[in-house]
Amino acid sequence: MSKIHFQEKFEERHIGPSADETTAMLDALGLQNLDQLVDETVPVQIRAKPPLALPNALGETAYLNRMKVVADKNKAFKSYIGQGYYDVILPGVIQRNVFENPGWYTQYTPYQAEIAQGRLQALLNFQTMVIDLTGMEIANASLLDEATAAAEAMFMQYGLRKNKAANAYFVSSTIFPQTLDVLRTRALSYGIELLVGNLNDIPQEANIFGALVQYPAGDGTVQDYKTVVELLHARDISVCAVADLLSLVLLTPPGEWGADVVVGSTQRFGIPMGFGGPHAAYFATKEAYKRNIPGRIIGVTVDATGGYALRMALQTREQHIRRDKASSNICTAQALLAIMAGFYAVYHGQKGLLNIAERTHGLAVLLDDALQQLGYTQLNETYFDTLRIELGELAGPLHAEALNNEVNLYYQGTIAGISVDETTTYQDIEILVRIFAKIKGKTATDVDLAAIAAAIHPHIPPSLQRASEYLTHPIFNSYHAEHEMLRYIKSLETKDLSLCHSMIPLGSCTMKLNATTEMIPITWPEFGSLHPFAPADQTGGYMQIISELDQWLSEITGFAKVSFQPNSGAQGEYAGLMVIRAYHESRGDMHRDVVLIPASAHGTNPASASMAGMKVVVVKCDERGNIDVADLQAKAEIHAGNLSALMVTYPSTHGVFEEPIIEICDIIHQHGGQVYMDGANMNAQVGLTSPGLIGADVCHLNLHKTFCIPHGGGGPGMGPIGVAAHLVPFLPNHQVVDVSGEQGISAVSAAPWGSASILLISHAYIAMMGAEGLTNATKYAILNANYIKARLENHYPVLYAGANGRCAHEMILDCRSFKTAGVEVGDIAKRLMDYGFHAPTVSFPVAGTLMVEPTESESKAELDRFCDALIAIREEIAAIEDGRSDKVDNLLKRAPHTVAMVSADVWDKPYPRSQAAFPLPFVREHKFWPSVGRVNDSQGDRVLICACPPMSAYEELEA
């Protein structure tokens, strides 16, 4: 009888290669076991000795059972807190078919447009929705959250100011506190002076370049800003409005009263609060600023046949390409959440949104009138959804009675704020009236709610009631029946390649398995319906998850503590540098502002350094792609008096464990600097080494890479930072909820713990893998990469390798020599689509190359299919090189081939249809068809259309 296994090991589900496949792969590498590979790959001087001190791995069922117990520690009281977070009704058709569907959440950023037309259309819908509701001319495809979107607006206004000496930014005192907190952090780096006060009292002598208002205001009032905006424009002061998108269904959109930029959150469009996120922010502005708008824009173009196609417009605007000249470090967006919000608008349409907005406002008015009948004073004369009740000495008793009824209000001294939302019902109003009546010594029968309901009238000034149309495009007026909506969602899903179809071998992006069990708890109401500002005694489940994840990630990284506030990798970079800045300043070293960054670094590194107000000094790399230690030493000495930090990625961006990394860290420390480690490649470290052991002081972790949060078509992401003990006091704090000490920097994102709900995914991954599983995952990531290297290096030169000829978890294939045959690396990327694969990372970090990362989740069979495809493409290139294929009209230049092209009555290509569509036998077995031909990038930039276009626009494109 074989040995009984009393628990199935999750790692065997997560790690792709079987035992037999592992043996075959090791044989191909001439190795006996995985440990021998690790010895030849990871420098011995940085190897961790004892295993990770983590709890024993749990099976999937055991983990979910444990999480049910943890979830019950959260108390999901009825929330009227508001302040930018509201309870919602997520339509089941969107929850099941988008939010819970790996066909939507496992996609990557749509850089390869031909196999991303579904999510591109969904994001175009999102942009159209935002443009319509805000009354602006152009919108992007989402940002991280409302507060950071406001900060991006401030920077754009700063960059566009006519008076370059102006450095003051006026912020309305009625803005949400978390937004003001993030503005303070961002303003600090650039020396922008924040002036907070009443918009009507802006001092004439102030050197102001921009202003920001909230609409409706943070206290709930609705104000007419038209006149004051005209006065500000006369002084060359631009205006940003932070607007509640749902309210704009009833209110005059900011674009109609003169706002230059409109930002906000789309959380109210069906996205659960999730204790703070993730939620898609929006950013809308004037078309004149299209080259200044941060983030990504989806635009309309044509494909090779002249047909309708979509792409990321103005792609070179991606801020990390501009490196230290960037005005933003935006990399991750919130694509999945933006897609869901866009689908919410499609499903409800203009009439549905109007019903929701009118019902929300109507219930607020009903409650207002009822409470006034009870003798309460309501302070907001005009409002959309928020009331402020003066309680005086009744504040304490009211608070207690509300809690007795499992109701949360927003308390400021003796004032109680009540924000109603889409989920509020007539019965909820009855409960609130009963609570307030009891405190007055009355009963609910003292108020005739039915009579009040029959006579309510809007509390929105006639001058601010919306008159313009919105969501008139057919897309928003065709799919209101669930059956039609389901078919629409599926029609878009089938146009996109995701991890459901094949491996996505993107170097530095780590597209690994997002296990179903890891995803399940995030849809539970105990986690989804919690407000981020809920009282601490109602958030025990989240606090346990966050505390455990803090301990586990600290153990994995070798650091003292982790901050979860940064909600993207680039935000983590920025937060880490701001923590280092605060540390230096606490020691009186105000002058330390120089950051050394290797030439091979991720582009977000210098962009983040620039955002943190630091000066970038580039360190050379040698011919093997490693940091030039002599150059580093020289520059550390030159800048010793002002050295703030080194930003280093490990393993390197070139996919190599650099041998002198400890020496590199020592050099920085000897000259008074700190070492910031970019955690993008942390999946090659876990269990084998750690940033703390190597000598780093701070490291951000891309939870959407190493720790299994899905990429969601371009977001969500999470970029928490781990720090050494001396940096712990400076971790980000928050204006509303204390999450750090008095020395902590101000907030870097809107919510205290960032996108808290998706922390559950990484928690599940670590808990189910355990120490041994996590370490094995790292070993297999290295094995899979080296197996691909061995199979491909005789066909494509591999640019860099370690001392023993091994790569880490990824490698760079050099395709530059193919230019002599007229083949660009982009042609290889397009041809891979015909084989059913997404391309590896194109031209990063070296132009003309492919950066390949297989991850540990792919089986040998899948790795072989990918290698077979690349080898076959190399043969197709060889046919061009030796003249067997035409240099212009060939398989690569015409790729990708759509079903319409291959099935056309006329076939005029000099190669057979079968070779175009089914180049290898495995392709025929499960063919994925690109939905459009090669996209015309330049056409889309020449005629920028970033909203769902009318038919006339298609005619313009074809012309």
Side-chain angles (χ1 to χ4, degrees), residues 429-543:
I429 301 301
E430 290 179 322
I431 293 171
L432 287 169
V433 170
R434 186 175 70 241
I435 292 169
F436 278 85
K438 182 176 180 179
I439 302 307
K440 283 276 191 179
K442 301 181 180 182
T443 66
T445 57
D446 291 324
V447 176
D448 189 346
L449 270 183
I452 296 173
I456 60 173
H457 58 278
H459 277 243
I460 298 172
S463 63
L464 284 179
Q465 292 180 17
R466 182 169 192 139
S468 54
E469 292 187 327
Y470 56 93
L471 302 187
T472 58
H473 194 279
I475 283 178
F476 298 100
N477 294 280
S478 303
Y479 307 108
H480 304 322
E482 182 172 332
H483 213 162
E484 290 303 316
M485 186 66 189
L486 172 64
R487 288 169 176 162
Y488 179 62
I489 291 172
K490 286 294 178 183
S491 73
L492 296 188
E493 180 191 335
T494 58
K495 295 179 179 181
D496 281 21
L497 187 141
S498 71
L499 284 175
C500 299
H501 301 95
S502 57
M503 69 181 289
I504 300 180
L506 286 153
S508 195
C509 295
T510 316
M511 301 292 292
K512 63 167 69 176
L513 171 70
N514 314 122
T516 305
T517 297
E518 295 161 5
M519 304 296 294
I520 288 173
I522 63 174
T523 60
W524 294 349
E526 297 92 336
F527 292 114
S529 61
L530 229 61
H531 194 288
F533 304 156
D537 61 359
Q538 297 174 21
T539 64
Y542 264 116
M543 290 300 97

Side-chain angles (χ1 to χ4, degrees), residues 554 558-563 572-587 589 592 614 644-646 668-669 672-677 691-692 695-700 721-733 739-746:
S554 293
F559 284 134
K561 191 168 180 57
V562 173
S563 167
E573 294 173 13
Y574 172 73
L577 290 174
M578 292 301 287
V579 165
I580 289 173
R581 174 184 174 136
Y583 166 74
H584 285 312
E585 291 181 352
S586 75
R587 295 158 56 88
D589 291 340
R592 290 193 175 272
M614 297 183 178
S644 175
L646 165 74
I668 300 303
H669 290 144
Q674 297 285 285
V675 176
Y676 171 90
M677 183 171 286
D697 301 286
V698 55
C699 175
H700 90 263
I721 55 172
V723 297
H726 64 282
L727 295 179
V728 170
F730 308 100
L731 288 173
N733 211 331
V739 293
S740 184
E742 292 182 2
Q743 291 181 282
I745 64 171
S746 46

Side-chain angles (χ1 to χ4, degrees), residues 781-849:
I782 295 171
L783 172 64
N784 284 1
N786 279 280
Y787 177 70
I788 286 182
K789 178 177 178 290
R791 282 214 60 194
L792 294 179
E793 60 190 350
N794 291 330
H795 306 275
Y796 298 83
V798 176
L799 269 187
Y800 306 112
N804 297 308
R806 304 297 184 191
C807 64
H809 61 302
E810 60 191 2
M811 80 219 69
I812 298 173
L813 304 180
D814 193 351
C815 304
R816 291 172 292 186
S817 65
F818 306 146
K819 282 178 175 286
T820 57
V823 175
E824 302 288 341
V825 68
D827 298 326
I828 300 173
K830 303 306 180 188
R831 180 58 174 153
L832 268 170
M833 298 177 192
D834 290 331
Y835 288 81
F837 286 104
H838 193 291
T841 303
V842 176
S843 287
F844 175 83
V846 180
T849 66

Side-chain angles (χ1 to χ4, degrees), residues 20 41 46 69 90 129 168 223 265 282 311 342 403-404 428 486 561 579 583 642 701 707 774 786 835 864 900 905 959:
D20 289 343
T41 306
I46 65 166
V69 176
L90 171 56
M129 169 191 81
Q223 303 174 43
S265 174
Y282 69 86
R311 61 183 279 274
L403 291 176
N404 287 340
D428 291 326
L486 172 64
K561 191 168 180 57
V579 165
Y583 166 74
N642 297 314
L701 301 170
F707 296 97
L774 290 171
N786 279 280
Y835 288 81
D864 282 332
D905 293 336

Side-chain angles (χ1 to χ4, degrees), residues 628-704:
D628 185 325
V629 178
D631 189 55
L632 175 80
Q633 176 79 48
K635 285 172 178 171
E637 290 174 0
I638 291 170
H639 299 284
N642 297 314
L643 183 59
S644 175
L646 165 74
M647 297 186 80
V648 61
T649 302
Y650 201 76
S652 74
T653 311
H654 292 150
V656 176
F657 283 96
E658 298 187 41
E659 297 280 341
I661 185 64
I662 292 179
E663 179 188 354
I664 288 168
C665 294
D666 287 344
I667 290 171
I668 300 303
H669 290 144
Q670 288 164 12
H671 293 88
Q674 297 285 285
V675 176
Y676 171 90
M677 183 171 286
D678 185 316
N681 295 340
M682 188 67 199
N683 52 309
Q685 287 194 41
V686 177
L688 301 182
T689 185
S690 72
L693 179 64
I694 291 167
D697 301 286
V698 55
C699 175
H700 90 263
L701 301 170
N702 289 321
L703 298 189
H704 50 288

